[in-house]
Each structure stands twice: as C-alpha cells, then as structure tokens.
Amino acid sequence: MINEQIRDKEVRLVGENGEQLGIMSVKDAMKIARDANLDLVKIAPTAKPPVCKVIDYGKYRYELARKEKEAKKKQKMVELKEVRLSPNIDTNDLNTKMNNARKFLEKGNKVKVTLRFRGREMAHVHSSRHILDDFADAMKDIAAVEKPPKMEGRSMSIVLGEKR
C-alpha cells in the first residue's frame, strides 16, 4: 500500500536513508514524504504499529522485480529423463542404456527407467522385474532409487535420483 491507501491511525516511520523517525500519525508521515518528493510505502503491514518507509515507489518496485529475477536464475530445474528398455534386451544394449542414464544423472537430472511389455510379453511380467533391479544395482554408485519398480499399464518403471 502506498500514500493515501494507508488507512492506519499511526505508523512507525523509517526515513529515506533507513533512519528510524519513530511512531507518528499517517498525516504527519504523508507530510514528511511529500516534502521529500517521495512516496509513503507500507513495508510491514502485520507489525504493531505497521512499518512505513519514505521511498521512491517506482524504484522500490524495480528493485523487488530485479531481486525476484535474480533468485529465479539461481534455481536449478531438475528434469526427468526417460530410458526405455524391453524385457528381451541384450547385455550390450543394456550397458549402452546404463551409460546414457549415467550421463543424465551426472548432469543432475532424474532418470525414469521404463520396461515396456508388448503382446505376449505381458504374460512374463513377474520374471522381468530383475532387469530393473539389476539396472538399479549397476547404478547404485551414483544413483539412489527414489521410486521402486511399479507396474503402470503395459510398462514397469523405476525412478533413480542423484545420490547425495
């Protein structure tokens, strides 16, 4: 809230250079802000009494937006990459898939390893679970199982995350 939007009887006023000006009525605070050609901005509305500051409101909003943008830059988005396998995969193909998953994990992403069943392979779902278990065991030096193997329709999947 700024200037005339402030409806409190009295406020704790902070000057333009950060100095404490004390508790005063809103009218007196508005007069001080007008004399300095600045705005009266409510900084802490929940405090008793509310804290207001004499500042340039446009500059204040710009600073807030810049801080928010800077905080967004520092965030890291973790992607979920997927590696698809089939129940009758050969060892060399499995090693290639493991190397791909290892690269994803080293970049800081999570890996979803999916074992897809087609046609008559659905009859042997229980005997194919060991492929996912072996995959997780081979990756245990850099990865931890975040979600254990789970059947979802015609596929069984496991999620691996970077080990901390």
Side-chain angles (χ1 to χ4, degrees):
M1 295 179 146
I2 63 167
N3 297 334
E4 283 77 28
Q5 295 176 349
I6 300 171
R7 297 277 178 229
D8 301 296
K9 289 181 181 173
E10 55 182 23
V11 294
R12 180 179 303 275
L13 189 64
V14 178
E16 53 189 303
N17 298 324
E19 70 276 2
Q20 294 286 333
L21 300 178
I23 297 172
M24 59 181 68
S25 70
V26 174
K27 285 183 182 179
D28 294 339
M30 280 295 299
K31 188 174 184 308
I32 291 171
R34 280 202 191 102
D35 290 344
N37 276 341
L38 295 170
D39 299 306
L40 183 67
V41 180
K42 192 187 276 190
I43 302 294
T46 56
K48 298 279 187 240
V51 179
C52 292
K53 192 171 183 181
V54 178
I55 50 175
D56 180 8
Y57 187 63
K59 186 177 178 183
Y60 173 70
R61 284 191 44 215
Y62 171 75
E63 290 292 329
L64 283 179
R66 209 175 93 226
K67 284 180 186 173
E68 200 173 287
K69 192 175 179 184
E70 200 64 34
K72 252 186 191 174
K73 276 185 186 177
K74 292 177 183 172
Q75 288 180 346
K76 185 175 186 321
M77 292 297 292
V78 176
E79 284 186 51
L80 182 66
K81 301 284 190 172
E82 186 175 22
V83 175
R84 289 184 177 170
L85 310 173
S86 66
N88 53 0
I89 192 167
D90 198 29
T91 53
N92 286 333
D93 295 335
L94 189 63
N95 289 336
T96 302
K97 298 287 187 178
M98 283 183 195
N99 289 335
N100 289 341
R102 196 173 290 276
K103 287 177 191 170
F104 294 147
L105 287 164
E106 286 168 355
K107 287 182 182 173
N109 297 316
K110 292 182 181 183
V111 177
K112 180 178 182 179
V113 184
T114 306
L115 188 59
R116 298 184 66 197
F117 299 99
R118 292 160 45 197
R120 289 190 179 164
E121 293 171 349
M122 285 298 291
H124 307 289
V125 171
H126 60 281
S127 62
S128 300
R129 184 183 174 129
H130 72 88
I131 295 171
L132 289 178
D133 293 335
D134 293 346
F135 197 100
D137 283 343
M139 303 295 280
K140 71 180 173 192
D141 59 325
I142 63 161
V145 176
E146 290 193 0
K147 289 185 183 173
K150 182 180 176 188
M151 196 65 190
E152 299 166 345
R154 292 186 151 273
S155 61
M156 185 184 294
S157 60
I158 185 172
V159 177
L160 302 174
E162 196 173 15
K163 209 175 211 179
R164 288 187 175 83

